[in-house]
Amino acid sequence: MSDVSLPAPSGSRTAAVIPAAGRGVRLGPGAPKALRALNGTPMLIHAARAMAASRAVSLVVVVAPPDGAAEVKSLLDVHALPDRTDFLVVPGGESRQESVKYGLDALPPGIDIVLVHDAARPLVPVDTVDAVIEAVRDGASAVVPALPLADTVKEVEPAAVAGEPEPVVATPVRARLRAVQTPQGFDRATLVRAHETVSDDVTDDASMVEQLGLQVMVVPGHEEAFKVTRPLDLVLAEAVLARRRLNDGF
């Protein structure tokens, strides 16, 4: 990981929106996924620190569960976060898309670039954050970090009953496929227009920009930007943090 993060040029400001209103049912019962502890600290705090690690990010907007904004604000207040970055908490909506929209609505004037980052990707390196921002600065309307796939992928006809055998429909060319991560970066006006225009239920914000007919660009992702979804992912994340403490002294 680089020791020097991308600076914020005069006249250009970047904000990160972290939707953290989901329940995370695949991690089992308990606190919402974003509030689950990772090395004793909620994943959300790790994700907020990851965004604030970029010197280009001047504001982080955390979109909390609709009834949990006060709790999330208290978490941010009690954990050490960079002084140079402003933090704002707003209540979220019923869907991820709605929550991101609420985060966008809370942005002040003067923000030109918006990152949207999953709270469940707590370990994304600052180099990846900076690469996304730099690509938007260079003129891209939308940028996603992504990795090539290690596995062959099959398109199937979904079974009517979960667990039943499924017939293969096609085998996409693996060299053309990428596994998309976050933060995804956008020209602010483009992302606002996408949220005002696209009403379909989508899995990421870049898909909304695609529906506007605009080009989405890909930059290299990072293996440590994986999404913590299942209990085994928590074990892997703890191992990554342990290695970082050993190598970097924190």
Side-chain angles (χ1 to χ4, degrees):
M1 189 187 305
S2 169
D3 292 328
V4 179
S5 176
L6 190 71
S10 58
S12 176
R13 295 183 64 206
T14 299
V17 174
I18 304 179
R23 298 299 305 178
V25 293
R26 281 176 289 183
L27 277 177
K33 185 195 308 185
L35 304 185
R36 299 293 180 94
L38 177 59
N39 193 35
T41 301
M43 278 199 291
L44 174 59
I45 299 300
H46 288 285
R49 287 172 175 165
M51 295 300 97
S54 172
R55 290 189 295 153
V57 175
S58 58
L59 171 65
V60 175
V61 178
V62 177
V63 188
D67 58 351
E71 179 183 3
V72 169
K73 188 175 187 310
S74 295
L75 278 178
L76 293 177
D77 288 341
V78 301
H79 286 87
L81 296 167
D83 290 336
R84 68 171 181 267
T85 308
D86 292 328
F87 291 88
L88 177 65
V89 178
V90 299
E94 294 301 317
S95 67
R96 182 186 185 279
Q97 192 169 337
E98 190 176 28
S99 291
V100 173
K101 175 65 163 56
Y102 290 166
L104 276 175
D105 291 344
L107 295 179
I111 297 294
D112 305 300
I113 298 171
V114 180
L115 305 179
V116 181
H117 183 58
D118 294 333
R121 296 184 191 271
L123 303 178
V124 58
V126 69
D127 288 354
T128 303
V129 181
D130 284 345
V132 171
I133 296 170
E134 185 66 31
V136 179
R137 283 184 185 172
D138 287 345
S141 296
V143 178
V144 299
L147 293 176
L149 297 184
D151 298 321
T152 296
V153 175
K154 301 290 185 183
E155 181 182 352
V156 302
E157 183 65 40
V161 178
E164 290 292 314
E166 299 173 320
V168 171
V169 175
T171 303
V173 179
R174 188 172 66 182
R176 295 176 61 89
L177 300 177
R178 298 291 183 271
V180 174
Q181 302 175 325
T182 70
Q184 299 185 356
F186 305 90
D187 167 74
R188 179 182 180 173
T190 297
L191 186 58
V192 168
R193 181 157 68 94
H195 275 270
E196 290 174 346
T197 306
V198 178
S199 58
D200 297 347
D201 186 21
V202 296
T203 55
D204 73 345
D205 295 88
S207 299
M208 302 174 71
V209 173
E210 289 176 52
Q211 291 191 40
L212 296 180
L214 298 177
Q215 181 75 66
V216 175
M217 301 301 293
V218 171
V219 297
H222 196 282
E223 62 183 4
E224 292 182 2
F226 63 90
K227 191 172 187 177
V228 177
T229 303
R230 298 174 176 85
L232 185 59
D233 299 327
L234 281 172
V235 176
L236 179 57
E238 294 276 6
V240 171
L241 283 175
R243 187 183 67 185
R244 287 184 181 181
R245 288 195 302 272
L246 184 64
N247 292 341
D248 302 329
F250 72 91

